[in-house]
Amino acid sequence: MAAPGTKTPEHLDKQIDSEHFSPYRQDGKLYGFVCVVTGATQPVGRAIVAELAAHGAACIYACSSNPEDPYAELTESINAQWPNTKVIGYPYKIASEEDTLALIDDVLNSWGRLDVWTSSTGLLGPPSITNTSPHDLISAFTTNSMPAFFALKYAPAAMQKTTPKGSYPNAAPKDVPYGSIVVVSSVAGTYGGCWGPAFTMSSHAALGVVRSGVAVLKGTGVRINAVMAGQIDVGVDLGAAGKEMEQGQFPPSTLQSKEVQQKVIGLERAGRPQEVARVAGFLASGFSSYITGAELRVDGGASVMNPLTVPV
């Protein structure tokens, strides 16, 4: 604990007072921000890209591991509504240290700043321990926690760089260090029983990145928080064939019938991707300036009413 009379570091005071990071500015709470969204072609990632654009982001790197994902379609849909936000489809190996550093270099060389990093990658893996191999477990950890680890390790140095106003749409100066790392995971990271062991263990690891990150980021002006999603309807149903369903980001909401959802979820329904994205947008902005190391549950109250939101 700081001794009485100890002053807040000057750059943190300036961050709170900076007009360029005020969430109340009329042109958007994220106006001028340069952002990275991993998992951007999955339903939750797409919703996050749209949310950041809606609040004035200048540039969003929409990232995924698959070069064949529909980046052009994503860009067109976003620019149809928010033409001043530049969306850059950026395929790279999300669990590669080298590729992560190359992405950060590209961001800084092109824009001179980095403000938000949202890690929304996800891999379910097999639903039972019987079918879970060591390879499955490693794949789950690699997909669900490694991108967040690389964000914590490498993004803060870039986020501390300041820059004058650029000459591109939605440009704004960055006069103080600022950064927000948002890790989108599952309530499986706070208790077991949501799906299979690999998903549960790797979701715990993603939350561990957030919790360890508070001390790592001390004094940098960069925050890190987790969004722990519950039953989210991402368009996957039980009709999907084994391995295809295991590639999903969250357990299919159809694991629970409408009747069961009404019984065990406080809001009596599954959530929507945009409802996760809104929380990510809040954590990205100055509205959450005194929040770090937090885990915000976006589960409609299910974990309060009933710890086992999905029958296994």
Side-chain angles (χ1 to χ4, degrees), residues 101-204:
L101 289 169
L103 168 59
I104 293 173
D105 283 345
D106 191 358
V107 172
L108 290 180
N109 289 335
S110 300
W111 305 89
R113 62 186 290 176
L114 173 62
D115 305 287
V116 175
W117 190 296
T118 299
S119 177
S120 62
T121 55
L123 178 68
L124 280 174
S128 72
I129 191 70
T130 305
N131 296 328
T132 301
S133 68
H135 174 75
D136 292 324
L137 186 61
I138 292 170
S139 295
F141 273 93
T142 299
T143 302
N144 296 340
S145 58
M146 191 68 75
F149 164 71
F150 284 142
L152 173 62
K153 186 171 184 179
Y154 294 117
M159 290 174 167
Q160 292 177 80
K161 294 185 180 297
T162 58
T163 182
K165 182 177 179 179
S167 56
Y168 48 84
N170 285 15
K174 185 170 184 177
D175 55 352
V176 291
Y178 177 92
S180 177
I181 299 170
V182 182
V183 178
V184 178
S185 187
S186 164
V187 290
T190 56
Y191 55 82
C194 281
W195 184 249
F199 182 65
T200 298
M201 286 186 263
S202 57
S203 296
H204 274 73

XYZ file of all heavy atoms in Angstrom, residues 101-204:
766
model
N 4.810 -10.504 -33.058
C 5.720 -9.355 -33.110
C 5.658 -8.658 -34.463
O 5.724 -7.425 -34.534
C 7.146 -9.824 -32.815
C 7.414 -10.230 -31.361
C 8.768 -10.924 -31.229
C 7.350 -9.022 -30.450
N 5.514 -9.442 -35.527
C 5.389 -8.841 -36.867
C 4.112 -8.008 -36.972
O 4.107 -6.922 -37.582
C 5.398 -9.935 -37.927
N 3.024 -8.497 -36.392
C 1.767 -7.741 -36.385
C 1.932 -6.419 -35.641
O 1.508 -5.355 -36.135
C 0.665 -8.582 -35.739
C -0.645 -7.858 -35.385
C -1.295 -7.244 -36.613
C -1.613 -8.822 -34.699
N 2.539 -6.452 -34.480
C 2.730 -5.229 -33.696
C 3.620 -4.242 -34.446
O 3.352 -3.033 -34.468
C 3.302 -5.565 -32.312
C 2.260 -6.343 -31.494
C 3.718 -4.299 -31.571
C 2.764 -6.865 -30.177
N 4.660 -4.740 -35.088
C 5.522 -3.863 -35.897
C 4.726 -3.220 -37.023
O 4.884 -2.020 -37.313
C 6.690 -4.664 -36.478
C 7.782 -4.942 -35.456
O 7.781 -4.288 -34.394
O 8.628 -5.819 -35.721
N 3.865 -4.002 -37.663
C 3.047 -3.477 -38.755
C 2.114 -2.376 -38.253
O 1.969 -1.318 -38.885
C 2.229 -4.626 -39.360
C 1.540 -4.242 -40.660
O 1.664 -3.074 -41.079
O 0.880 -5.103 -41.261
N 1.498 -2.610 -37.090
C 0.602 -1.611 -36.513
C 1.346 -0.307 -36.231
O 0.888 0.789 -36.588
C -0.045 -2.150 -35.224
C -0.829 -1.047 -34.520
C -0.963 -3.331 -35.528
N 2.492 -0.407 -35.585
C 3.239 0.801 -35.218
C 3.803 1.514 -36.441
O 3.796 2.749 -36.512
C 4.366 0.444 -34.247
C 3.932 0.016 -32.844
C 5.150 -0.303 -31.986
C 3.082 1.088 -32.169
N 4.295 0.759 -37.412
C 4.845 1.377 -38.617
C 3.764 2.095 -39.418
O 4.030 3.110 -40.068
C 5.527 0.323 -39.490
C 6.811 -0.194 -38.888
O 7.445 0.496 -38.084
N 7.210 -1.405 -39.249
N 2.540 1.567 -39.377
C 1.451 2.140 -40.171
C 0.719 3.260 -39.453
O 0.276 4.227 -40.080
C 0.446 1.040 -40.541
O 1.063 0.018 -41.304
N 0.588 3.158 -38.111
C -0.275 4.071 -37.374
C 0.424 4.796 -36.228
O -0.096 5.794 -35.723
C -1.485 3.314 -36.818
C -2.221 2.584 -37.885
C -1.990 1.311 -38.319
C -3.264 3.090 -38.714
N -2.833 0.990 -39.348
C -3.633 2.064 -39.611
C -3.945 4.301 -38.773
C -4.641 2.222 -40.572
C -4.948 4.459 -39.718
C -5.281 3.435 -40.599
N 1.548 4.286 -35.792
C 2.303 4.952 -34.730
C 1.730 4.764 -33.344
O 2.236 5.329 -32.374
N 0.692 3.942 -33.216
C 0.054 3.749 -31.920
C -0.692 2.419 -31.890
O -1.060 1.865 -32.927
C -0.923 4.894 -31.621
C -2.076 4.988 -32.608
C -2.959 6.204 -32.392
N -3.758 6.095 -31.159
C -4.549 7.071 -30.719
N -4.629 8.223 -31.382
N -5.248 6.908 -29.618
N -0.934 1.926 -30.689
C -1.778 0.760 -30.452
C -2.495 1.008 -29.140
O -1.869 1.355 -28.134
C -0.943 -0.521 -30.366
C -1.691 -1.804 -29.959
C -2.767 -2.146 -30.977
C -0.711 -2.966 -29.818
N -3.824 0.846 -29.131
C -4.612 1.207 -27.957
C -5.384 0.042 -27.344
O -5.539 -0.024 -26.124
C -5.603 2.314 -28.334
C -4.905 3.510 -28.948
O -4.239 4.246 -28.209
O -5.015 3.694 -30.174
N -5.870 -0.848 -28.181
C -6.739 -1.923 -27.684
C -6.319 -3.238 -28.324
O -6.073 -3.306 -29.532
C -8.223 -1.638 -28.020
C -9.102 -2.821 -27.611
C -8.695 -0.353 -27.341
N -6.248 -4.275 -27.500
C -6.001 -5.627 -28.010
C -7.063 -6.532 -27.406
O -7.124 -6.728 -26.198
C -4.620 -6.114 -27.604
C -4.194 -7.395 -28.296
C -4.780 -8.627 -28.168
C -3.108 -7.552 -29.225
N -4.130 -9.555 -28.949
C -3.099 -8.926 -29.605
C -2.154 -6.683 -29.746
C -2.147 -9.442 -30.501
C -1.216 -7.194 -30.633
C -1.218 -8.559 -31.006
N -7.924 -7.072 -28.245
C -8.971 -7.970 -27.783
C -8.681 -9.377 -28.286
O -8.638 -9.611 -29.495
C -10.353 -7.520 -28.289
O -10.636 -6.214 -27.787
C -11.433 -8.455 -27.804
N -8.471 -10.291 -27.370
C -8.210 -11.688 -27.710
C -9.509 -12.468 -27.558
O -9.985 -12.681 -26.438
C -7.127 -12.264 -26.783
O -6.911 -13.627 -27.064
N -10.093 -12.877 -28.677
C -11.372 -13.584 -28.613
C -11.303 -14.920 -29.344
O -12.270 -15.358 -29.974
C -12.504 -12.719 -29.196
O -12.267 -12.451 -30.564
N -10.141 -15.555 -29.289
C -10.002 -16.863 -29.916
C -10.629 -17.937 -29.032
O -10.729 -17.769 -27.814
C -8.521 -17.192 -30.128
O -7.830 -17.089 -28.870
C -7.890 -16.219 -31.106
N -11.055 -19.035 -29.633
C -11.676 -20.088 -28.838
C -11.671 -21.426 -29.545
O -11.818 -21.511 -30.762
N -11.476 -22.490 -28.768
C -11.501 -23.855 -29.287
C -12.100 -24.748 -28.208
O -11.577 -24.820 -27.093
C -10.085 -24.325 -29.637
C -9.945 -25.758 -30.153
C -10.601 -25.892 -31.536
C -8.471 -26.152 -30.227
N -13.199 -25.425 -28.537
C -13.882 -26.252 -27.545
C -13.126 -27.530 -27.211
O -12.965 -27.903 -26.059
C -15.281 -26.619 -28.047
C -16.359 -25.557 -27.901
C -17.640 -26.029 -28.581
C -16.622 -25.258 -26.435
N -12.684 -28.250 -28.226
C -12.081 -29.551 -27.985
C -13.135 -30.596 -27.666
O -14.334 -30.308 -27.614
N -12.711 -31.838 -27.431
C -13.663 -32.934 -27.175
C -14.463 -32.718 -25.898
O -13.973 -32.128 -24.937
C -12.755 -34.164 -27.039
C -11.488 -33.786 -27.728
C -11.322 -32.327 -27.499
N -15.699 -33.215 -25.868
C -16.553 -33.007 -24.695
C -16.284 -33.945 -23.531
O -16.810 -33.734 -22.445
C -17.964 -33.242 -25.252
C -17.761 -34.184 -26.393
C -16.448 -33.830 -26.991
N -15.466 -34.990 -23.725
C -15.223 -35.938 -22.635
C -13.737 -36.203 -22.466
O -12.950 -36.051 -23.410
C -15.950 -37.259 -22.895
O -15.318 -37.962 -23.946
N -13.343 -36.619 -21.277
C -11.944 -36.949 -20.999
C -11.520 -38.177 -21.786
O -10.359 -38.308 -22.190
C -11.727 -37.162 -19.479
C -10.225 -37.240 -19.146
C -12.456 -38.393 -18.983
C -9.481 -35.954 -19.291
N -12.464 -39.073 -22.044
C -12.153 -40.293 -22.780
C -11.624 -39.981 -24.175
O -10.690 -40.624 -24.659
C -13.412 -41.183 -22.903
O -13.932 -41.430 -21.604
C -13.076 -42.496 -23.590
N -12.214 -38.971 -24.798
C -11.831 -38.624 -26.165
C -10.761 -37.541 -26.241
O -10.395 -37.103 -27.332
C -13.068 -38.160 -26.939
C -14.092 -39.254 -27.095
O -13.753 -40.419 -27.192
N -15.371 -38.880 -27.097
N -10.289 -37.068 -25.084
C -9.305 -35.989 -25.066
C -7.887 -36.561 -25.049
O -7.501 -37.265 -24.110
C -9.503 -35.093 -23.833
O -10.824 -34.545 -23.852
C -8.487 -33.950 -23.826
N -7.138 -36.259 -26.075
C -5.747 -36.707 -26.166
C -4.819 -35.598 -25.695
O -5.230 -34.427 -25.579
C -5.411 -37.066 -27.610
O -5.417 -35.884 -28.410
N -3.550 -35.917 -25.414
C -2.594 -34.847 -25.089
C -2.532 -33.770 -26.169
O -2.396 -32.584 -25.872
C -1.273 -35.598 -24.955
C -1.669 -36.979 -24.530
C -2.955 -37.251 -25.256
N -2.661 -34.190 -27.422
C -2.652 -33.215 -28.521
C -3.839 -32.270 -28.424
O -3.705 -31.055 -28.648
C -2.674 -33.944 -29.868
C -2.814 -33.029 -31.042
N -1.774 -32.238 -31.506
C -3.884 -32.770 -31.849
C -2.190 -31.523 -32.537
N -3.462 -31.829 -32.767
N -5.019 -32.819 -28.098
C -6.211 -31.986 -27.927
C -6.000 -30.952 -26.826
O -6.401 -29.783 -26.949
C -7.433 -32.841 -27.580
C -7.874 -33.725 -28.728
O -7.772 -33.290 -29.884
O -8.309 -34.866 -28.452
N -5.381 -31.397 -25.728
C -5.151 -30.494 -24.600
C -4.197 -29.366 -24.981
O -4.446 -28.194 -24.685
C -4.595 -31.290 -23.411
C -4.424 -30.518 -22.102
C -5.766 -29.992 -21.605
C -3.779 -31.401 -21.046
N -3.113 -29.724 -25.651
C -2.144 -28.709 -26.076
C -2.781 -27.730 -27.059
O -2.568 -26.512 -26.983
C -0.909 -29.391 -26.699
C -0.129 -30.151 -25.627
C -0.007 -28.356 -27.379
C 0.962 -31.040 -26.168
N -3.607 -28.250 -27.972
C -4.286 -27.374 -28.936
C -5.198 -26.384 -28.234
O -5.275 -25.206 -28.616
C -5.095 -28.213 -29.929
O -4.251 -29.014 -30.721
N -5.905 -26.863 -27.198
C -6.809 -25.978 -26.460
C -6.034 -24.873 -25.748
O -6.428 -23.700 -25.790
C -7.630 -26.789 -25.461
N -4.943 -25.226 -25.077
C -4.138 -24.209 -24.403
C -3.544 -23.232 -25.413
O -3.506 -22.018 -25.171
C -3.015 -24.871 -23.585
C -3.431 -25.266 -22.204
C -3.911 -26.538 -21.939
C -3.370 -24.358 -21.161
C -4.313 -26.902 -20.667
C -3.764 -24.708 -19.878
C -4.241 -25.988 -19.622
N -3.088 -23.769 -26.539
C -2.485 -22.911 -27.560
C -3.479 -21.886 -28.098
O -3.170 -20.702 -28.241
C -1.946 -23.769 -28.719
O -0.943 -24.653 -28.220
C -1.340 -22.898 -29.815
N -4.704 -22.327 -28.373
C -5.715 -21.444 -28.952
C -6.347 -20.528 -27.920
O -6.580 -19.339 -28.182
C -6.811 -22.272 -29.639
O -6.217 -23.100 -30.635
C -7.865 -21.368 -30.275
N -6.644 -21.050 -26.740
C -7.455 -20.317 -25.767
C -6.651 -19.413 -24.844
O -7.227 -18.478 -24.262
C -8.277 -21.297 -24.928
C -9.287 -22.063 -25.765
O -9.639 -21.647 -26.859
N -9.736 -23.206 -25.272
N -5.373 -19.665 -24.669
C -4.606 -18.847 -23.722
C -3.322 -18.243 -24.292
O -2.879 -17.201 -23.825
C -4.273 -19.658 -22.461
O -3.555 -20.825 -22.792
N -2.731 -18.867 -25.317
C -1.466 -18.348 -25.837
C -1.596 -16.955 -26.461
O -0.745 -16.087 -26.224
C -0.865 -19.325 -26.845
C 0.576 -18.991 -27.225
S 1.726 -19.238 -25.848
C 1.824 -21.029 -25.843
N -2.642 -16.667 -27.261
C -2.757 -15.304 -27.813
C -2.858 -14.234 -26.725
O -2.305 -13.138 -26.874
C -4.040 -15.372 -28.651
C -4.170 -16.813 -29.009
C -3.679 -17.561 -27.813
N -3.550 -14.548 -25.636
C -3.643 -13.592 -24.528
C -2.281 -13.401 -23.868
O -1.907 -12.285 -23.483
C -4.662 -14.080 -23.508
N -1.520 -14.478 -23.734
C -0.175 -14.391 -23.171
C 0.723 -13.487 -24.016
O 1.426 -12.616 -23.497
C 0.434 -15.792 -23.065
C 1.925 -15.804 -22.856
C 2.488 -15.408 -21.650
C 2.778 -16.199 -23.880
C 3.864 -15.407 -21.460
C 4.151 -16.206 -23.704
C 4.697 -15.806 -22.484
N 0.676 -13.664 -25.344
C 1.502 -12.828 -26.214
C 1.057 -11.369 -26.174
O 1.879 -10.455 -26.258
C 1.460 -13.357 -27.650
C 2.297 -14.591 -27.867
C 1.857 -15.607 -28.694
C 3.515 -14.742 -27.236
C 2.616 -16.748 -28.900
C 4.286 -15.886 -27.427
C 3.838 -16.887 -28.265
N -0.258 -11.147 -26.047
C -0.752 -9.775 -25.922
C -0.193 -9.123 -24.668
O 0.252 -7.967 -24.693
C -2.276 -9.763 -25.900
N -0.220 -9.850 -23.562
C 0.308 -9.316 -22.305
C 1.806 -9.066 -22.394
O 2.317 -8.078 -21.864
C 0.002 -10.297 -21.167
C 0.630 -9.985 -19.807
C 0.131 -8.649 -19.265
C 0.336 -11.107 -18.812
N 2.516 -9.936 -23.068
C 3.971 -9.826 -23.121
C 4.453 -8.711 -24.041
O 5.407 -7.995 -23.708
C 4.574 -11.163 -23.564
C 6.101 -11.196 -23.508
C 6.655 -12.595 -23.737
C 8.169 -12.600 -23.574
N 8.745 -13.962 -23.758
N 3.775 -8.532 -25.187
C 4.328 -7.654 -26.206
C 3.517 -6.387 -26.507
O 4.078 -5.399 -26.980
C 4.532 -8.437 -27.505
C 5.582 -9.521 -27.376
C 5.246 -10.859 -27.542
C 6.900 -9.205 -27.060
C 6.206 -11.857 -27.408
C 7.864 -10.193 -26.919
C 7.509 -11.516 -27.094
O 8.458 -12.500 -26.949
N 2.211 -6.407 -26.285
C 1.407 -5.234 -26.646
C 1.675 -4.009 -25.771
O 1.645 -2.876 -26.271
C -0.079 -5.584 -26.623
N 1.940 -4.150 -24.457
C 2.063 -2.955 -23.611
C 3.146 -1.969 -24.047
O 2.943 -0.757 -23.957
C 2.377 -3.548 -22.229
C 1.707 -4.877 -22.253
C 1.894 -5.386 -23.642
N 4.270 -2.450 -24.522
C 5.324 -1.528 -24.969
C 4.830 -0.671 -26.125
O 5.127 0.530 -26.204
C 6.566 -2.314 -25.377
N 4.059 -1.269 -27.027
C 3.500 -0.512 -28.147
C 2.415 0.448 -27.681
O 2.284 1.564 -28.207
C 2.943 -1.477 -29.192
N 1.647 0.037 -26.679
C 0.557 0.860 -26.182
C 1.056 2.102 -25.451
O 0.317 3.082 -25.305
C -0.342 0.030 -25.264
C -1.151 -1.018 -25.991
S -2.071 -2.103 -24.871
C -3.193 -2.931 -26.019
N 2.291 2.076 -24.991
C 2.836 3.221 -24.267
C 3.370 4.311 -25.194
O 3.722 5.400 -24.742
C 3.942 2.751 -23.321
C 3.405 1.898 -22.169
C 4.502 1.379 -21.268
O 5.016 2.089 -20.397
N 4.894 0.134 -21.488
N 3.429 4.035 -26.491
C 3.943 5.026 -27.436
C 2.885 6.094 -27.706
O 1.711 5.800 -27.879
C 4.364 4.346 -28.744
C 5.554 3.406 -28.574
C 6.012 2.864 -29.891
C 7.200 1.938 -29.712
N 8.384 2.631 -29.155
N 3.317 7.341 -27.737
C 2.434 8.466 -28.052
C 2.709 8.935 -29.469
O 3.751 8.636 -30.062
C 2.645 9.613 -27.062
O 4.022 10.025 -27.102
C 2.290 9.177 -25.638
N 1.753 9.695 -30.026
C 1.904 10.128 -31.411
C 1.057 11.364 -31.664
O -0.003 11.532 -31.036
C 1.494 8.998 -32.380
O 1.692 9.410 -33.732
C 0.036 8.634 -32.200
N 1.483 12.254 -32.567
C 0.621 13.388 -32.943
C -0.538 12.909 -33.807
O -0.586 11.747 -34.228
C 1.572 14.286 -33.745
C 2.608 13.360 -34.279
C 2.793 12.296 -33.236
N -1.458 13.794 -34.080
C -2.617 13.444 -34.891
C -2.189 13.077 -36.301
O -1.398 13.766 -36.935
C -3.599 14.622 -34.940
C -4.866 14.329 -35.729
C -5.824 15.500 -35.688
C -7.088 15.210 -36.495
N -8.054 16.325 -36.452
N -2.715 11.967 -36.813
C -2.395 11.530 -38.162
C -3.274 12.207 -39.192
O -4.115 13.054 -38.875
N -3.109 11.806 -40.453
C -3.851 12.425 -41.558
C -4.857 11.451 -42.166
O -5.137 11.506 -43.352
C -2.877 12.893 -42.641
O -2.079 11.810 -43.084
N -5.394 10.553 -41.355
C -6.344 9.556 -41.820
C -7.695 9.791 -41.141
O -7.781 10.517 -40.140
C -5.824 8.149 -41.514
C -5.325 7.969 -40.096
C -6.188 7.674 -39.044
C -3.973 8.103 -39.802
C -5.730 7.513 -37.745
C -3.501 7.948 -38.504
C -4.376 7.649 -37.487
O -3.922 7.501 -36.201
N -8.779 9.207 -41.651
C -10.104 9.397 -41.029
C -10.111 8.950 -39.569
O -9.448 7.991 -39.189
C -11.021 8.521 -41.883
C -10.339 8.438 -43.197
C -8.871 8.423 -42.897
N -10.871 9.664 -38.747
C -11.009 9.401 -37.313
C -9.681 9.516 -36.554
O -9.525 8.948 -35.475
C -11.607 8.010 -37.063
C -13.095 7.953 -37.343
O -13.648 8.837 -37.971
N -13.750 6.902 -36.893
N -8.744 10.259 -37.109
C -7.439 10.411 -36.449
C -7.551 11.309 -35.226
O -8.326 12.263 -35.198
C -6.419 10.990 -37.425
N -6.776 10.990 -34.211
C -6.694 11.799 -33.000
C -5.294 11.661 -32.442
O -4.643 10.627 -32.626
C -7.719 11.350 -31.966
N -4.790 12.686 -31.768
C -3.474 12.549 -31.148
C -3.517 11.549 -30.001
O -4.579 11.326 -29.402
C -3.174 13.963 -30.610
C -4.270 14.837 -31.075
C -5.402 13.988 -31.510
N -2.394 10.954 -29.706
C -2.252 10.149 -28.499
C -1.205 10.828 -27.643
O -0.013 10.755 -27.926
C -1.842 8.709 -28.826
C -1.796 7.807 -27.586
C -1.617 6.339 -27.950
C -1.670 5.469 -26.694
N -1.578 4.020 -27.001
N -1.679 11.528 -26.609
C -0.772 12.378 -25.843
C -0.264 11.724 -24.559
O 0.621 12.264 -23.903
C -1.454 13.709 -25.511
C -2.793 13.541 -24.801
O -3.275 12.393 -24.686
O -3.366 14.560 -24.363
N -0.821 10.584 -24.197
C -0.377 9.870 -22.995
C -0.407 8.373 -23.274
O -1.140 7.902 -24.135
C -1.290 10.175 -21.781
C -1.137 11.605 -21.326
C -2.747 9.866 -22.095
N 0.410 7.599 -22.548
C 0.332 6.136 -22.697
C -1.058 5.641 -22.315
O -1.638 6.085 -21.324
C 1.395 5.619 -21.715
C 2.314 6.768 -21.491
C 1.461 7.996 -21.584
N -1.589 4.731 -23.120
C -2.910 4.162 -22.835
C -3.000 2.810 -23.517
O -2.543 2.638 -24.653
C -4.029 5.055 -23.368
C -5.421 4.465 -23.151
C -6.149 4.780 -22.016
C -5.977 3.566 -24.077
C -7.411 4.228 -21.799
C -7.237 3.009 -23.868
C -7.948 3.352 -22.725
O -9.186 2.802 -22.509
N -3.594 1.863 -22.833
C -3.832 0.576 -23.456
C -4.819 -0.246 -22.669
O -4.900 -0.143 -21.446
N -5.585 -1.054 -23.387
C -6.529 -1.972 -22.755
C -6.448 -3.320 -23.460
O -6.643 -3.399 -24.679
C -7.957 -1.422 -22.828
O -8.874 -2.346 -22.268
N -6.151 -4.348 -22.696
C -6.134 -5.721 -23.202
C -7.388 -6.411 -22.671
O -7.624 -6.433 -21.461
C -4.875 -6.476 -22.753
C -3.613 -5.778 -23.287
C -4.919 -7.936 -23.220
C -2.317 -6.324 -22.703
N -8.188 -6.946 -23.577
C -9.440 -7.603 -23.198
C -9.370 -9.053 -23.643
O -9.215 -9.339 -24.832
C -10.655 -6.914 -23.848
C -11.941 -7.596 -23.406
C -10.683 -5.423 -23.499
N -9.473 -9.959 -22.687
C -9.421 -11.393 -22.970
C -10.835 -11.951 -22.880
O -11.435 -11.960 -21.807
C -8.491 -12.123 -21.988
C -8.481 -13.627 -22.270
C -7.070 -11.559 -22.068
N -11.372 -12.381 -24.013
C -12.713 -12.958 -24.036
C -12.586 -14.464 -23.846
O -11.964 -15.157 -24.648
C -13.435 -12.654 -25.361
C -14.813 -13.301 -25.378
C -13.552 -11.151 -25.562
N -13.148 -14.955 -22.768
C -13.088 -16.377 -22.456
C -14.483 -16.855 -22.052
O -15.485 -16.262 -22.433
C -12.059 -16.619 -21.341
O -11.854 -17.997 -21.132
N -14.522 -17.927 -21.284
C -15.786 -18.555 -20.910
C -15.895 -18.666 -19.398
O -14.885 -18.665 -18.688
C -15.860 -19.956 -21.535
O -16.870 -20.746 -20.926
N -17.129 -18.780 -18.914
C -17.313 -19.043 -17.489
C -16.693 -20.376 -17.089
O -16.535 -20.661 -15.908
C -18.801 -19.016 -17.092
C -19.358 -17.609 -17.154
C -19.619 -19.967 -17.963
N -16.304 -21.176 -18.069
C -15.547 -22.397 -17.774
C -14.212 -22.064 -17.123
O -13.572 -22.931 -16.526
C -15.311 -23.200 -19.052
N -13.786 -20.805 -17.222
C -12.551 -20.379 -16.579
C -12.702 -20.092 -15.100
O -11.714 -19.844 -14.404
N -13.929 -20.117 -14.599
C -14.162 -19.855 -13.178
C -14.712 -21.062 -12.439
O -14.705 -21.110 -11.221
C -15.124 -18.666 -12.985
O -16.342 -18.929 -13.693
C -14.502 -17.397 -13.515
N -15.224 -22.039 -13.181
C -15.657 -23.295 -12.570
C -15.722 -24.358 -13.653
O -15.606 -24.057 -14.837
C -17.001 -23.155 -11.857
C -18.127 -22.626 -12.701
C -18.852 -23.448 -13.538
C -18.460 -21.266 -12.656
C -19.880 -22.946 -14.312
C -19.486 -20.777 -13.428
C -20.193 -21.612 -14.257
O -21.210 -21.110 -15.020
N -15.896 -25.608 -13.281
C -15.910 -26.691 -14.250
C -17.312 -27.042 -14.697
O -18.311 -26.517 -14.213
N -17.381 -27.949 -15.667
C -18.673 -28.487 -16.056
C -19.300 -27.878 -17.276
O -20.401 -28.250 -17.646
N -18.641 -26.891 -17.917
C -19.261 -26.241 -19.076
C -19.150 -27.069 -20.347
O -19.995 -26.999 -21.214
C -18.613 -24.879 -19.316
S -19.227 -23.627 -18.222
N -18.072 -27.812 -20.478
C -17.856 -28.610 -21.674
C -16.876 -29.696 -21.308
O -17.023 -30.348 -20.273
C -17.371 -27.718 -22.825
C -17.201 -28.421 -24.148
C -16.029 -28.684 -24.798
C -18.230 -28.950 -24.991
N -16.253 -29.335 -25.982
C -17.611 -29.508 -26.129
C -19.613 -29.010 -24.891
C -18.316 -30.116 -27.174
C -20.314 -29.607 -25.930
C -19.674 -30.151 -27.052
N -15.836 -29.880 -22.092
C -14.850 -30.915 -21.809
C -13.681 -30.385 -20.992
O -13.519 -29.184 -20.801
N -12.830 -31.294 -20.507
C -11.690 -30.906 -19.651
C -10.726 -29.937 -20.324
O -10.236 -29.004 -19.686
C -11.011 -32.240 -19.348
C -12.075 -33.265 -19.540
C -12.950 -32.756 -20.635
N -10.422 -30.142 -21.603
C -9.450 -29.272 -22.274
C -9.942 -27.831 -22.331
O -9.179 -26.880 -22.107
C -9.166 -29.790 -23.682
N -11.224 -27.669 -22.623
C -11.801 -26.330 -22.683
C -11.788 -25.673 -21.304
O -11.436 -24.499 -21.160
C -13.235 -26.410 -23.220
C -13.921 -25.085 -23.380
C -13.457 -24.150 -24.297
C -15.044 -24.771 -22.629
C -14.090 -22.928 -24.461
C -15.685 -23.557 -22.791
C -15.208 -22.630 -23.703
N -12.158 -26.440 -20.284
C -12.188 -25.897 -18.929
C -10.793 -25.502 -18.464
O -10.584 -24.409 -17.938
C -12.794 -26.930 -17.961
O -14.139 -27.200 -18.353
C -12.794 -26.415 -16.534
N -9.819 -26.380 -18.654
C -8.449 -26.096 -18.195
C -7.844 -24.903 -18.922
O -7.219 -24.023 -18.307
C -7.573 -27.336 -18.374
C -7.839 -28.439 -17.363
S -6.657 -29.803 -17.513
C -7.607 -30.927 -18.532
N -8.029 -24.849 -20.228
C -7.436 -23.754 -20.996
C -8.142 -22.433 -20.742
O -7.525 -21.362 -20.817
C -7.439 -24.090 -22.491
O -8.750 -24.362 -22.950
N -9.446 -22.487 -20.413
C -10.163 -21.259 -20.043
C -9.655 -20.732 -18.702
O -9.542 -19.512 -18.503
C -11.668 -21.518 -19.979
O -12.188 -21.876 -21.247
N -9.343 -21.623 -17.773
C -8.718 -21.210 -16.519
C -7.369 -20.537 -16.789
O -7.014 -19.543 -16.138
C -8.521 -22.414 -15.602
C -9.712 -22.733 -14.747
N -10.872 -23.292 -15.254
C -9.926 -22.581 -13.418
C -11.743 -23.458 -14.276
N -11.198 -23.031 -13.152
